[in-house]
Amino acid sequence: MKKYFGSFFLFLVLLCWMAPAQAQGQQKKWGPPEDRAAKITSWMKTNLQLNPSQEAKVKEINLRYAKKAQEVVDGAGNKMEKGKKIRELEKEKEAEFKSILTAEQFSTYETKKNELKKQLKEKAKQHKESGGGSGKEKGKGKKKSDTQG
């Protein structure tokens, strides 16, 4: 069960970092900021054993930053600019977490986040090595049905 939550949390955390790489309409794909914030808060409550006061504060922070991240994704700018803004938001959010969580909770948060980030990078590397991706490398963007018959 913990492995499931870990993977889920990685997905949510990295969503903020990878969001600029996605096109407009991201909200439809990932859901509204309110849903993303609720999922992250739920994960944090379970895995960091938040008390009710911490949970309320974390929920507010997650919602605020999910909305800010959505504004960045939907706003003007190239992928690099958006990525930089998302990373800045993530740093700000973590600074707020640090003032709410105990040292042990924050350490656990950082450890799990880094583990999940490493897992995602490994999965992306394996996907790339196996020929995954946009399909443009091998098939030059065409479907098999376009090249047959």
Side-chain angles (χ1 to χ4, degrees), residues 37-52:
K39 289 174 185 175
I40 293 170
T41 302
S42 176
W43 182 92
M44 292 177 75
K45 177 184 177 186
T46 301
N47 289 278
L48 303 178
Q49 290 84 40
L50 301 179
N51 65 41

Side-chain angles (χ1 to χ4, degrees), residues 52 94 108 132:
E94 289 183 359
T108 300

Side-chain angles (χ1 to χ4, degrees), residues 7-148:
S7 296
F8 180 71
F9 182 68
L10 171 66
F11 169 76
L12 293 173
V13 169
L14 293 177
L15 167 65
C16 291
W17 291 318
M18 296 176 65
Q22 304 298 321
Q24 290 281 339
Q26 190 67 29
Q27 185 170 339
K28 292 178 186 172
K29 184 174 181 180
W30 301 111
E34 294 81 5
D35 290 353
R36 294 192 314 260
K39 289 174 185 175
I40 293 170
T41 302
S42 176
W43 182 92
M44 292 177 75
K45 177 184 177 186
T46 301
N47 289 278
L48 303 178
Q49 290 84 40
L50 301 179
N51 65 41
S53 174
Q54 288 175 314
E55 181 183 359
K57 292 174 184 175
V58 164
K59 181 179 180 180
E60 185 275 324
I61 292 169
N62 282 328
L63 179 58
R64 185 165 17 102
Y65 282 95
K67 288 179 177 179
K68 287 181 179 185
Q70 189 66 50
E71 289 174 9
V72 171
V73 171
D74 292 341
N78 63 39
K79 291 178 185 178
M80 293 283 286
E81 292 168 345
K82 290 180 179 184
K84 183 178 178 182
K85 288 178 184 177
I86 294 289
R87 286 187 295 277
E88 289 171 2
L89 288 174
E90 190 66 25
K91 286 180 184 178
E92 291 173 19
K93 181 171 82 168
E94 289 183 359
E96 290 191 44
F97 284 161
K98 196 169 189 175
S99 70
I100 294 168
L101 303 175
T102 66
E104 183 179 340
Q105 286 171 320
F106 190 76
S107 176
T108 300
Y109 170 78
E110 286 189 315
T111 300
K112 289 187 179 287
K113 181 186 75 170
N114 290 332
E115 288 172 3
L116 297 170
K117 187 176 176 181
K118 183 178 176 182
Q119 289 174 5
L120 186 64
K121 283 183 179 183
E122 184 60 33
K123 285 183 181 182
K125 181 181 175 184
Q126 290 173 356
H127 183 70
K128 185 176 180 180
E129 288 174 353
S130 69
S134 66
K136 292 181 181 177
E137 297 84 17
K138 291 186 178 185
K140 299 193 181 357
K142 295 183 181 179
K143 298 179 199 174
K144 284 186 178 182
S145 61
D146 293 342
T147 59
Q148 295 173 346

